Amino acid sequence: MGNRFQAQDRFADGAQYIGGRLRSGTSGRTQDIVNPGNGEPVHTYELASAADVDDAVAAAREAFPGWAGATPGERSDALHRFASVLAEQAGDLAYAESLQCGKPIKLSTEFDVPGTVDNTAFFAGAARHLQGQSAGEYSGDHTSYVRREPIGVVGSIAPWNYPLQMAAWKVLPAIAAGNTIVLKPAEITPLTSLMFAEAATQAGIPDGVVNVVNGAGRDAGEHLVGHPDVAMTSFTGSTPVGKRVAEIATATVKRLHLELGGKAPFVVFDDADLEAAVHGAVAGSLINSGQDCTAATRAYVQRPLYDAFVSGVADLMTTVRLGDPLDPATDLGPLVSHLQRDRVAGFVDRARAYATVVTGGEAPQGELKSGAYYRPTLVAGAAQDSEIVQSEIFGPVLVVLPFDSDDEGIALANDTPYGLAASAWSRDVFRANRATREIRAGCVWINDHIPIISEMPHGGYQASGFGKDMSMYSFEEYTQVKHVMYDNTAVVRKDWHRTIFGDR
C-alpha cells in the first residue's frame, strides 16, 4: 500500500469530520503526519480552528434530540452495525494505526483493532441496559424511580498512544447512552479516528452524532473544553495537561472525566514464579514501546529473587526484535516521534549519574537510525525518590529496585502520586489478596500485567484521574441521574404543608 496509505486521496477533502462529512480545517496552518519508523511524511492536512470546533459542536447539538430520543434498541442496532463495519475494515485500520504511530503491525492487528471491535460490540449490548433503581414507595405516600438520561454534547480529547482504541473508549459509551460527541484526537495521529467516524456513518449512525476535529491543543482543544454548548469533557493524557483541562472545564461547571498518567508498580514477592515474572515484566514494560499509561515501569523484587530477576529481564530484553513496524516479525517499533524518543533518552541519560543502565539505554544505529527507535532498557540501583522512579517516562524503560518485607514492597508500590494500574506476583493467595486490597490503583493484576477487557472498568486513583472507561461503569460518566417521584394519595392538603402554613 505504501507509506502514503493513499491518505492524500482518502482524506483529500480534509481531516475534519463534521456532520457526517470530511472537510478541511480553516486555521491556515498545516500538520504533517510522519511515519516514525523512517521519518517520512504520510499525510499533510490543515488544522482545525476555533470556528471549526464551533461547527462541530453545532452539528452535535443539532443531532442530539433525535439520537437521545432513539430507543435503546435502535441505538443498539446501530452499534452492532458499527462493529460489523469496523471488523470489515480491520486490515486498513491496523495498517493506518501502525503507520502513524509506529506500533508493530502484530500489535495493531492482534490488540488494538480487535479490542476496538469488541468494545463496540459490548456497548451495542450495553445500550439496552441503561437501568436506574427499581420503583418503590420509599416515603410511603409516593412512588419513586431513577432515570438515566444522556447529558448532551460531549467534548472529548484523546491521546496519540492508542488513537483508535482511545477514540472508541471516548465515543462508544457516550453515544450508547444517547449523547453526541466531538472528539479531538492528537493532531499527529488522526487517521484512525477519522476512519472510525466514517465507519459510524457507514453503519447508519446519524450525521452529527460522531464528529472529529483535528487541531492544536491550545486552539481547538481548549476551545472545545470551554465551549458553552459542551456539557461534558472527557480527557485522556498527561496529568499536567489534565490539570489545565480541569481548570477550563470547571469554569463552565461541566461534567469532567479524566484518565491521566501512570507509573505502574510490578511487585514480585519471593514465592513468585520467577520465569513468569520475568516474561511478564518484559512484555508489560515494552508494550507499545512503553507508551502505555498502565505499562510496568517500576519493578519491586523481594531480595531473594532480585539478582535472578535483573539478569533474566536483561537477557530477555536483548532478544526483542526492533524493526519496521509494518513487518510482522517486528517486536518493538519506534516511539511515536523523535521528540518523544529524545525525551525518553533524557530520563535515562540523567539517571546514569545515580543508577546503572543494565541493558539498552541507546538508540540503534544502522538501518534504523532514521526512525524514532530506542532499545529496551533496564535500569537498576536508582533511589526510590529519584526522577526515573517517580516520573512518567512513557518509553521502553523498566526500573528495578529490591525490597525486604512485604510491608516495604507494598509501601514502595504506593509511593508515587499516581494510581492507575499495578501488578503483584505471588503463589500465595493471602499475599496476593493483600496486594489487591492495599495497593492504591484502579486496576491490580495478579500474576499478569496489561490485559484489559470490555466488561471491566479502566480508570485511576489520585494523580491518575477519576472516572471509568469501558464497562457498564462508564455510563455513570455519560448519563445524568434523575429522581422521579409520584404522589399516590391524591390528597390536596398534605400533612407536611403544615410545616409551611397553617395548623394541624
Side-chain angles (χ1 to χ4, degrees):
M1 297 174 68
N3 278 356
R4 285 165 54 90
F5 179 59
Q6 303 174 350
Q8 300 290 18
D9 300 324
R10 180 160 187 163
F11 301 115
D13 293 331
Q16 317 300 326
Y17 197 77
I18 300 172
R21 303 288 184 274
L22 285 167
R23 58 181 248 189
S24 293
T26 61
S27 69
R29 293 180 290 115
T30 59
Q31 173 70 47
D32 290 333
I33 304 168
V34 176
N35 177 353
N38 54 24
E40 295 179 1
V42 173
H43 183 52
T44 301
Y45 68 94
E46 190 164 358
L47 290 162
S49 66
D52 298 318
V53 173
D54 290 341
D55 289 348
V57 172
R61 187 178 181 187
E62 182 179 356
F64 175 71
W67 184 246
T71 67
E74 289 168 338
R75 290 199 294 268
S76 176
D77 289 346
L79 285 164
H80 277 299
R81 295 193 300 270
F82 191 9
S84 295
V85 172
L86 292 170
E88 291 168 0
Q89 299 178 6
D92 281 353
L93 288 164
Y95 185 94
E97 193 78 332
S98 289
L99 190 64
Q100 67 180 352
C101 299
K103 63 181 64 192
I105 190 67
K106 66 179 181 179
L107 181 65
S108 296
T109 302
E110 298 178 25
F111 183 74
D112 296 65
V113 174
T116 300
V117 174
D118 181 75
N119 213 226
T120 308
F122 170 81
F123 279 107
R128 289 180 177 265
H129 297 282
L130 278 168
Q131 297 174 344
Q133 188 171 343
S134 299
E137 287 67 50
Y138 300 101
S139 77
D141 292 336
H142 306 82
T143 296
S144 289
Y145 69 90
V146 170
R147 292 174 55 89
R148 281 196 177 273
E149 297 180 345
I151 296 171
V153 177
V154 178
S156 290
I157 299 177
W160 46 255
N161 58 332
Y162 290 101
L164 178 62
Q165 288 206 77
M166 294 299 101
W169 286 16
K170 299 299 182 193
V171 169
L172 294 171
I175 67 172
N179 302 286
T180 56
I181 191 166
V182 178
L183 173 71
K184 194 203 89 65
E187 58 267 32
I188 62 173
T189 55
L191 297 180
T192 49
S193 297
L194 291 168
M195 296 166 71
F196 187 76
E198 287 182 310
T201 299
Q202 292 164 18
I205 293 174
D207 294 349
V209 173
V210 179
N211 307 275
V212 177
V213 290
N214 285 296
R218 290 192 177 274
D219 301 326
E222 293 197 0
H223 189 65
L224 177 62
V225 173
H227 200 289
D229 291 333
V230 170
M232 173 183 170
T233 293
S234 176
F235 170 79
T236 297
S238 71
T239 298
V241 178
K243 291 179 180 178
R244 174 61 178 160
V245 168
E247 289 176 4
I248 300 170
T250 53
T252 51
V253 198
K254 289 176 170 43
R255 176 77 66 87
L256 185 59
H257 171 227
L258 298 175
E259 198 271 272
L260 307 177
K263 191 70 178 175
F266 186 100
V267 183
V268 183
F269 294 103
D270 58 14
D271 67 330
D273 182 323
L274 178 62
E275 184 179 10
V278 165
H279 280 77
V282 173
S285 63
L286 300 186
I287 185 171
N288 202 35
S289 298
Q291 299 166 129
D292 186 310
C293 50
T294 64
T297 59
R298 298 178 291 137
Y300 297 105
V301 183
Q302 208 151 23
R303 207 169 294 275
L305 295 184
Y306 178 79
D307 290 340
F309 180 88
V310 171
S311 176
V313 168
D315 289 345
L316 190 55
M317 278 185 168
T318 62
T319 70
V320 173
R321 298 167 296 183
L322 280 68
D324 181 352
L326 299 176
D327 183 347
T330 292
D331 296 325
L332 191 74
L335 282 86
V336 73
S337 67
H338 287 81
L339 181 65
Q340 180 64 14
R341 192 270 311 275
D342 293 345
R343 178 180 179 277
V344 170
F347 276 102
V348 177
D349 290 344
R350 290 190 296 275
R352 296 179 195 277
Y354 55 79
T356 300
V357 177
V358 180
T359 191
E362 62 182 4
Q365 299 301 306
E367 61 182 19
L368 299 181
K369 185 177 181 179
S370 61
Y373 293 90
Y374 198 74
R375 293 196 184 281
T377 299
L378 180 65
V379 177
Q384 173 66 14
D385 62 355
S386 62
E387 177 194 49
I388 204 163
V389 174
Q390 293 291 326
S391 299
E392 187 173 33
I393 301 170
F394 229 55
V397 179
L398 177 65
V399 184
V400 58
L401 297 87
F403 70 91
D404 292 304
S405 69
D406 290 14
D407 289 349
E408 182 188 11
I410 290 174
L412 290 169
N414 286 330
D415 184 28
T416 70
Y418 300 103
L420 186 58
S423 66
W425 298 72
S426 173
R427 292 184 174 98
D428 186 322
V429 66
F430 299 103
R431 264 180 161 173
N433 281 339
R434 180 189 178 190
T436 65
R437 291 193 308 271
E438 296 186 14
I439 293 177
R440 296 191 297 271
C443 174
V444 179
W445 293 284
I446 298 299
N447 296 326
D448 207 345
H449 195 109
I450 285 299
I452 54 174
I453 50 175
S454 297
E455 289 82 0
M456 289 291 113
H458 175 91
Y461 292 11
Q462 305 178 129
S464 292
F466 48 82
K468 300 299 180 185
D469 291 311
M470 302 196 298
S471 82
M472 295 298 293
Y473 291 97
S474 64
F475 285 132
E476 296 177 4
E477 314 298 321
Y478 293 97
T479 54
Q480 299 274 24
V481 174
K482 177 186 287 184
H483 171 213
V484 178
M485 178 178 269
Y486 287 90
D487 171 60
N488 292 330
T489 66
V491 173
V492 175
R493 297 182 178 180
K494 294 179 171 57
D495 189 57
W496 73 267
H497 292 177
R498 302 306 173 261
T499 64
I500 311 302
F501 62 90
D503 300 318
R504 289 187 183 276

